[in-house]
Amino acid sequence: DHREAVAKINDFVLDAKREAELQRVEAERRRSRRNSWIGVVVKVVTGGVILCVALGVYFLYQDVIPNDGSYTLGDFSRIIGISSGGGGGRLSTEDKRRLQIEDQRQKAAAQQQSIQSQQLANANAPTWIDNEMMEVWTPKQKKQFDNALVMYGGMAAKARYKLISENVEGKSRQECLMHHKLRQVIAKEQ
């Protein structure tokens, strides 16, 4: 009887370690996939901003600057709102700094938009309570769960749900754990 209990506990510990490792690997895989998608979104948004600026400059060039080649970089700078500083078509240090600041602002705006998109996507994700509410438990399974909970209620949490799940047909340790947690949340709300 003692050996059987030790064997069950050892099996449970090994199962728990395997499950923890699988969960760690799965979490790493999800994190990697999420990070790659975030990178793609940032690149697309940044590329879109750069394309818009380039198209704006192109159309400005087409509409405002004469096509006869009689203009200089200074003329172009005045058209887009910066002074050439009398440098014979070269941008002054101040103008370069202004352009750098504008570039930084555009990058920051693109990054902020990406963060807001991600937050909106996360806000619409269902919670564990939503998922558990959709879980189907038959009356027979509920009765088996209640009986097993009474029988194993005084044990440590790790071992308890493994043993409870062995007494509930068709439910895993995780499902039993989440079902019990949901019942506790509902009880607190009432």
Short mmCIF file of all heavy atoms in Angstrom, two decimals, residues 56-86:
data_model
loop_
_atom_site.label_atom_id
_atom_site.label_comp_id
_atom_site.label_asym_id
_atom_site.label_seq_id
_atom_site.Cartn_x
_atom_site.Cartn_y
_atom_site.Cartn_z
N GLY A 56 4.86 61.99 -50.89
CA GLY A 56 4.58 63.41 -50.67
C GLY A 56 5.65 64.29 -51.29
O GLY A 56 5.35 65.28 -51.96
N VAL A 57 6.90 63.93 -51.08
CA VAL A 57 8.00 64.70 -51.67
C VAL A 57 7.96 64.62 -53.19
O VAL A 57 8.14 65.61 -53.89
CB VAL A 57 9.36 64.21 -51.11
CG1 VAL A 57 10.52 64.81 -51.90
CG2 VAL A 57 9.49 64.55 -49.64
N TYR A 58 7.66 63.42 -53.71
CA TYR A 58 7.59 63.25 -55.16
C TYR A 58 6.52 64.14 -55.77
O TYR A 58 6.74 64.84 -56.74
CB TYR A 58 7.32 61.79 -55.50
CG TYR A 58 7.05 61.54 -56.97
CD1 TYR A 58 8.09 61.52 -57.89
CD2 TYR A 58 5.77 61.37 -57.43
CE1 TYR A 58 7.85 61.31 -59.23
CE2 TYR A 58 5.51 61.16 -58.77
CZ TYR A 58 6.56 61.13 -59.67
OH TYR A 58 6.33 60.93 -61.00
N PHE A 59 5.30 64.11 -55.18
CA PHE A 59 4.22 64.92 -55.74
C PHE A 59 4.47 66.41 -55.53
O PHE A 59 4.12 67.22 -56.37
CB PHE A 59 2.87 64.50 -55.15
CG PHE A 59 2.40 63.18 -55.70
CD1 PHE A 59 2.23 62.10 -54.87
CD2 PHE A 59 2.16 63.02 -57.06
CE1 PHE A 59 1.82 60.89 -55.37
CE2 PHE A 59 1.76 61.81 -57.57
CZ PHE A 59 1.58 60.73 -56.73
N LEU A 60 5.09 66.77 -54.43
CA LEU A 60 5.48 68.16 -54.21
C LEU A 60 6.46 68.58 -55.30
O LEU A 60 6.34 69.64 -55.89
CB LEU A 60 6.10 68.33 -52.82
CG LEU A 60 6.62 69.72 -52.48
CD1 LEU A 60 5.43 70.66 -52.32
CD2 LEU A 60 7.44 69.69 -51.22
N TYR A 61 7.42 67.73 -55.57
CA TYR A 61 8.42 67.98 -56.61
C TYR A 61 7.74 68.14 -57.96
O TYR A 61 8.06 69.04 -58.72
CB TYR A 61 9.42 66.83 -56.61
CG TYR A 61 10.35 66.81 -57.81
CD1 TYR A 61 11.44 67.66 -57.86
CD2 TYR A 61 10.12 65.94 -58.86
CE1 TYR A 61 12.29 67.63 -58.95
CE2 TYR A 61 10.96 65.91 -59.96
CZ TYR A 61 12.04 66.76 -60.00
OH TYR A 61 12.87 66.74 -61.08
N GLN A 62 6.80 67.28 -58.27
CA GLN A 62 6.12 67.31 -59.57
C GLN A 62 5.28 68.58 -59.74
O GLN A 62 5.22 69.14 -60.82
CB GLN A 62 5.20 66.08 -59.72
CG GLN A 62 5.93 64.78 -59.84
CD GLN A 62 6.78 64.71 -61.10
OE1 GLN A 62 6.39 65.16 -62.17
NE2 GLN A 62 7.97 64.17 -60.97
N ASP A 63 4.62 69.02 -58.66
CA ASP A 63 3.70 70.15 -58.76
C ASP A 63 4.38 71.50 -58.63
O ASP A 63 3.91 72.48 -59.18
CB ASP A 63 2.62 70.05 -57.66
CG ASP A 63 1.69 68.88 -57.90
OD1 ASP A 63 1.65 68.39 -59.04
OD2 ASP A 63 1.02 68.45 -56.94
N VAL A 64 5.47 71.61 -57.87
CA VAL A 64 6.01 72.91 -57.52
C VAL A 64 7.30 73.25 -58.25
O VAL A 64 7.49 74.37 -58.66
CB VAL A 64 6.24 72.97 -55.99
CG1 VAL A 64 6.85 74.28 -55.58
CG2 VAL A 64 4.92 72.75 -55.26
N ILE A 65 8.19 72.29 -58.41
CA ILE A 65 9.50 72.58 -58.97
C ILE A 65 9.44 72.48 -60.49
O ILE A 65 8.95 71.49 -61.03
CB ILE A 65 10.55 71.61 -58.39
CG1 ILE A 65 10.63 71.81 -56.88
CG2 ILE A 65 11.91 71.82 -59.04
CD1 ILE A 65 11.57 70.88 -56.18
N PRO A 66 9.95 73.48 -61.18
CA PRO A 66 9.94 73.43 -62.66
C PRO A 66 10.81 72.28 -63.17
O PRO A 66 11.77 71.89 -62.53
CB PRO A 66 10.51 74.79 -63.07
CG PRO A 66 11.22 75.30 -61.88
CD PRO A 66 10.58 74.67 -60.68
N ASN A 67 10.44 71.76 -64.30
CA ASN A 67 11.12 70.60 -64.86
C ASN A 67 12.27 70.97 -65.78
O ASN A 67 12.78 70.14 -66.50
CB ASN A 67 10.10 69.76 -65.63
CG ASN A 67 10.08 68.32 -65.17
OD1 ASN A 67 10.90 67.93 -64.34
ND2 ASN A 67 9.17 67.56 -65.70
N ASP A 68 12.68 72.24 -65.79
CA ASP A 68 13.74 72.66 -66.70
C ASP A 68 15.14 72.58 -66.10
O ASP A 68 16.11 72.96 -66.74
CB ASP A 68 13.47 74.09 -67.18
CG ASP A 68 13.44 75.09 -66.04
OD1 ASP A 68 13.70 74.69 -64.88
OD2 ASP A 68 13.14 76.27 -66.30
N GLY A 69 15.26 72.13 -64.87
CA GLY A 69 16.57 71.96 -64.24
C GLY A 69 17.17 73.24 -63.69
O GLY A 69 18.33 73.28 -63.34
N SER A 70 16.36 74.30 -63.60
CA SER A 70 16.88 75.59 -63.15
C SER A 70 16.77 75.79 -61.64
O SER A 70 16.85 76.89 -61.17
CB SER A 70 16.13 76.73 -63.87
OG SER A 70 14.76 76.68 -63.51
N TYR A 71 16.58 74.75 -60.88
CA TYR A 71 16.41 74.87 -59.43
C TYR A 71 17.62 74.27 -58.74
O TYR A 71 18.36 73.50 -59.32
CB TYR A 71 15.13 74.18 -58.97
CG TYR A 71 15.12 72.72 -59.30
CD1 TYR A 71 15.60 71.77 -58.39
CD2 TYR A 71 14.67 72.27 -60.54
CE1 TYR A 71 15.61 70.44 -58.70
CE2 TYR A 71 14.70 70.93 -60.86
CZ TYR A 71 15.16 70.02 -59.95
OH TYR A 71 15.18 68.70 -60.27
N THR A 72 17.79 74.66 -57.49
CA THR A 72 18.88 74.13 -56.68
C THR A 72 18.29 73.46 -55.44
O THR A 72 17.09 73.57 -55.19
CB THR A 72 19.84 75.25 -56.22
OG1 THR A 72 19.12 76.11 -55.33
CG2 THR A 72 20.39 76.02 -57.40
N LEU A 73 19.14 72.84 -54.65
CA LEU A 73 18.69 72.24 -53.40
C LEU A 73 18.15 73.32 -52.47
O LEU A 73 17.21 73.10 -51.72
CB LEU A 73 19.84 71.49 -52.73
CG LEU A 73 19.50 70.72 -51.46
CD1 LEU A 73 18.37 69.73 -51.71
CD2 LEU A 73 20.71 70.00 -50.93
N GLY A 74 18.70 74.51 -52.56
CA GLY A 74 18.20 75.63 -51.75
C GLY A 74 16.76 75.97 -52.10
O GLY A 74 15.95 76.25 -51.23
N ASP A 75 16.43 75.96 -53.42
CA ASP A 75 15.05 76.20 -53.84
C ASP A 75 14.13 75.13 -53.25
O ASP A 75 13.05 75.43 -52.74
CB ASP A 75 14.93 76.17 -55.37
CG ASP A 75 15.70 77.30 -56.03
OD1 ASP A 75 15.83 78.37 -55.40
OD2 ASP A 75 16.18 77.09 -57.16
N PHE A 76 14.56 73.90 -53.35
CA PHE A 76 13.76 72.78 -52.83
C PHE A 76 13.58 72.92 -51.32
O PHE A 76 12.50 72.72 -50.78
CB PHE A 76 14.43 71.45 -53.17
CG PHE A 76 13.66 70.26 -52.70
CD1 PHE A 76 12.47 69.90 -53.33
CD2 PHE A 76 14.10 69.50 -51.64
CE1 PHE A 76 11.75 68.81 -52.91
CE2 PHE A 76 13.39 68.40 -51.21
CZ PHE A 76 12.20 68.05 -51.84
N SER A 77 14.64 73.30 -50.60
CA SER A 77 14.57 73.47 -49.15
C SER A 77 13.57 74.54 -48.78
O SER A 77 12.80 74.38 -47.82
CB SER A 77 15.94 73.82 -48.58
OG SER A 77 16.86 72.80 -48.82
N ARG A 78 13.57 75.66 -49.51
CA ARG A 78 12.61 76.72 -49.23
C ARG A 78 11.18 76.25 -49.50
O ARG A 78 10.26 76.58 -48.77
CB ARG A 78 12.93 77.97 -50.06
CG ARG A 78 14.03 78.81 -49.48
CD ARG A 78 14.14 80.16 -50.16
NE ARG A 78 14.38 80.06 -51.60
CZ ARG A 78 15.57 79.81 -52.15
NH1 ARG A 78 16.63 79.64 -51.38
NH2 ARG A 78 15.71 79.75 -53.45
N ILE A 79 10.99 75.44 -50.53
CA ILE A 79 9.66 74.94 -50.86
C ILE A 79 9.11 74.06 -49.74
O ILE A 79 7.96 74.16 -49.36
CB ILE A 79 9.68 74.17 -52.21
CG1 ILE A 79 9.91 75.16 -53.35
CG2 ILE A 79 8.39 73.40 -52.41
CD1 ILE A 79 10.21 74.50 -54.67
N ILE A 80 9.97 73.22 -49.19
CA ILE A 80 9.47 72.32 -48.14
C ILE A 80 9.56 72.96 -46.75
O ILE A 80 9.23 72.32 -45.77
CB ILE A 80 10.20 70.95 -48.14
CG1 ILE A 80 11.69 71.09 -47.86
CG2 ILE A 80 9.95 70.22 -49.44
CD1 ILE A 80 12.38 69.75 -47.64
N GLY A 81 10.01 74.21 -46.67
CA GLY A 81 9.92 74.93 -45.40
C GLY A 81 11.18 75.01 -44.57
O GLY A 81 11.10 75.30 -43.39
N ILE A 82 12.36 74.77 -45.17
CA ILE A 82 13.60 74.95 -44.42
C ILE A 82 14.50 75.88 -45.21
O ILE A 82 14.42 75.98 -46.42
CB ILE A 82 14.32 73.60 -44.16
CG1 ILE A 82 14.62 72.88 -45.47
CG2 ILE A 82 13.54 72.73 -43.22
CD1 ILE A 82 15.45 71.62 -45.29
N SER A 83 15.37 76.59 -44.50
CA SER A 83 16.27 77.52 -45.19
C SER A 83 17.58 76.83 -45.49
O SER A 83 18.02 75.96 -44.75
CB SER A 83 16.52 78.77 -44.33
OG SER A 83 17.34 78.41 -43.24
N SER A 84 18.22 77.22 -46.55
CA SER A 84 19.48 76.59 -46.95
C SER A 84 20.66 77.20 -46.21
O SER A 84 21.75 76.68 -46.27
CB SER A 84 19.69 76.71 -48.45
OG SER A 84 19.84 78.08 -48.80
N GLY A 85 20.47 78.30 -45.54
CA GLY A 85 21.55 78.93 -44.78
C GLY A 85 22.61 79.53 -45.67
O GLY A 85 23.71 79.78 -45.24
N GLY A 86 22.29 79.75 -46.92
CA GLY A 86 23.23 80.39 -47.84
C GLY A 86 24.39 79.50 -48.20
O GLY A 86 25.43 79.99 -48.59
#
